[in-house]
Amino acid sequence: MKKILGLCLVAIAMTSCSDDNENIKDTPTKAKFIENYANIAAANYDDAYTTAATMKTKIDAFLATPTEETHKAAQNAWLYARDFYGQTEAFRAANGPIDNEDLGSIDGILNTEGRINAWPLDEGFIDYVSDNKGGAVQNGLIGDANFALTEASIIGKNEFNNLADNVATGWHAIEFLLWGQDLNYNPTTHKQDNYAAAGQRGYTDYTTANFAERRKQYLQIVTNLLINDLNDLRNTWAIGGLYRTAFAKLNEATALKNILNGVGFISNGEIALERIIPAVEEGQENEHSCFSDNTNQDMWANVNGINNVIIGSYKRADGTKISGVSLTAITKTLNIEISTNLETKAQTTLNKLDALLALNKTFDEIISQETLTSNGPAIQLSNALKSQGVAIAEVATTLGVSITID
């Protein structure tokens, strides 16, 4: 049902955008596009924070009184909040506050993406995992009573020893602590072919199970940390915020290059090449939200986040809309053919996303039936995202800047 709603939102966004742009009487300019991008980023990060803050209240309630009902409410709040954070990924790789490693180069730089959304996650680094014999192995931070559970100590373990899957914090640590491993276990066939089931962690992991109190403490710490990091992002992008102010002072060419580097790379490099291709090639361990089986919806959020910049419109959590000069509109003033090509590639990407969601299968089942050469729905979406990235690079050249999309 949620995915069907997502499809409707896509259709509404595309239609509404066209209407909005037609209603813009002023000549589209680069400056107005840049300003609209900043307005969308600020609104999207504000929604990412507020929906995650609601998730925190549900997790707080669950930890205070662990029951099936409070557990489910916390899971549902995580799923809802992910839709808004997922759209913000369009603002990454843009020399901006979330993942600019050059701290101090510009006011408002935070570089917190690694502890907000790092993945894939080695489950055994945090908590117990299945021994594939009906039992469990507990070698993680929660089971290590000598490891002091503090915010600083857990941050210190994130991507520990420069191992990318030693993920200790962020969305996917919380996801694992709410869902547990998704083993796809079929109790009838005793095979791992039950793709309809997500992780099966029970609420009793927070009541009677071994290390229940340390598990509660860990979940509370990483949830609070995520909220604080999202609040910092919101504040720095808000009007008058440190990064928003610095961004407004960038010259036009630099701002355009940053923006288009971001959406071009996220479309081609991050989503197409680093998320979909490895998942098809190597399986579920490379699936983005593998514990909750939310990866299809992650794709929805990522694709629409990019599209929000292309069409210059974003629908907020409260239903209101931020609209202004689009990327295609300013390109059209210089080269109609290049602008039309981007519109076509963006629509194709949305169509491929719709086709994947319409399968009504989980992402792990979809990739289990694909190879790199089978031209299945996941590969078709990857190809569409790559073509969209190339179209964004062509737009960048038309606008007088050069970008890297790999």
Side-chain angles (χ1 to χ4, degrees):
M1 183 65 186
K2 185 179 181 186
K3 293 165 186 171
I4 294 172
L5 174 62
L7 293 173
C8 294
L9 289 173
V10 172
I12 292 169
M14 291 297 291
T15 303
S16 300
C17 168
S18 300
D19 293 343
D20 290 341
N21 287 331
E22 287 171 3
N23 290 333
I24 295 171
K25 303 301 183 185
D26 297 335
T27 301
T29 65
K30 294 175 183 176
K32 290 174 183 173
F33 166 71
I34 293 166
E35 181 182 10
N36 188 40
Y37 171 90
N39 290 337
I40 291 174
N44 198 166
Y45 277 119
D46 186 56
D47 286 342
Y49 167 75
T50 57
T51 54
T54 298
M55 175 189 74
K56 173 178 155 48
T57 66
K58 299 298 183 182
I59 290 176
D60 289 347
F62 167 57
L63 294 178
T65 310
T67 65
E68 284 188 12
E69 291 73 19
T70 57
H71 187 199
K72 189 66 178 176
Q75 290 177 325
N76 287 339
W78 186 96
L79 293 170
Y80 184 68
R82 278 292 289 180
D83 280 0
F84 296 95
Y85 181 78
Q87 292 179 77
T88 70
E89 295 215 65
F91 311 120
R92 288 183 47 209
N95 210 27
I98 187 167
D99 54 4
N100 187 338
E101 296 180 357
D102 190 8
L103 295 173
S105 65
I106 188 170
D107 289 339
I109 294 298
L110 302 167
N111 192 27
T112 44
E113 200 279 336
R115 70 186 191 204
I116 288 176
N117 198 40
W119 74 284
L121 180 153
D122 175 2
E123 303 97 318
F125 187 65
I126 293 180
D127 200 3
Y128 74 87
V129 294
S130 169
D131 64 1
N132 294 318
K133 299 176 182 177
V137 178
Q138 175 57 275
N139 292 323
L141 298 174
I142 287 173
D144 180 2
N146 292 319
F147 178 69
L149 294 176
T150 68
E151 180 179 284
S153 66
I154 292 174
I155 289 174
K157 288 293 186 181
N158 196 48
E159 299 182 322
F160 185 62
N161 277 343
N162 293 318
L163 294 177
D165 59 354
N166 280 348
V167 175
T169 65
W171 284 105
H172 298 296
I174 296 170
E175 178 195 12
F176 173 56
L177 290 167
L178 289 176
W179 273 272
Q181 286 179 289
D182 179 15
L183 300 173
N184 295 325
Y185 179 69
N186 186 327
T188 302
T189 64
H190 300 292
K191 296 181 179 178
Q192 291 183 311
D193 59 1
N194 182 21
Y195 295 103
Q200 299 294 305
R201 187 189 293 279
Y203 78 91
T204 52
D205 271 8
Y206 291 86
T207 55
T208 57
N210 291 336
F211 305 109
E213 288 304 313
R214 282 179 61 84
R215 192 169 292 112
K216 290 169 71 172
Q217 192 178 354
Y218 196 111
L219 178 55
Q220 186 74 77
I221 289 170
V222 293
T223 300
N224 292 344
L225 177 62
L226 176 66
I227 300 305
N228 290 338
D229 283 339
L230 292 176
N231 192 37
D232 288 342
L233 278 166
R234 172 178 77 155
N235 289 337
T236 204
W237 263 112
I239 293 175
L242 285 175
Y243 183 74
R244 178 70 172 270
T245 301
F247 179 78
K249 294 178 180 176
L250 295 175
N251 66 55
E252 245 178 34
T254 301
L256 275 175
K257 185 179 179 71
N258 290 350
I259 293 169
L260 300 183
N261 256 329
V263 288
F265 169 77
I266 295 299
S267 184
N268 179 73
E270 183 76 11
I271 310 303
L273 296 179
E274 295 187 18
R275 294 189 182 175
I276 297 178
I277 295 296
V280 171
E281 189 172 26
E282 301 171 20
Q284 188 184 16
E285 286 302 311
N286 283 284
E287 182 190 1
H288 200 191
S289 291
C290 61
F291 312 120
S292 60
D293 271 347
N294 193 56
T295 307
N296 284 351
Q297 198 67 15
D298 283 347
M299 293 292 163
W300 176 90
N302 293 157
V303 167
N304 280 277
I306 298 165
N307 198 60
N308 292 339
V309 176
I310 293 172
I311 67 175
S313 182
Y314 166 66
K315 185 171 183 177
R316 300 204 56 172
D318 65 3
T320 60
K321 191 163 58 177
I322 306 294
S323 292
V325 172
S326 67
L327 181 58
T328 52
I330 56 169
T331 306
K332 195 167 291 182
T333 64
L334 299 171
N335 189 314
I336 293 175
E337 182 179 353
I338 293 293
S339 177
T340 301
N341 181 55
L342 177 57
E343 289 177 337
T344 300
K345 300 302 184 188
Q347 187 58 58
T348 299
T349 303
L350 292 171
N351 292 344
K352 296 300 182 184
L353 172 70
D354 288 355
L356 183 141
L357 298 180
L359 295 172
N360 199 28
K361 297 178 180 178
T362 59
F363 190 76
D364 48 8
E365 181 173 8
I366 292 170
I367 60 176
S368 75
Q369 298 166 350
E370 289 197 39
T371 66
L372 295 181
T373 58
S374 63
N375 198 33
I379 291 295
Q380 289 186 36
L381 176 58
S382 174
N383 289 338
L385 284 159
K386 286 188 281 187
S387 295
Q388 179 177 263
V390 172
I392 291 169
E394 291 172 348
V395 161
T397 300
T398 302
L399 297 175
V401 298
S402 176
I403 66 169
T404 302
I405 62 172
D406 292 324

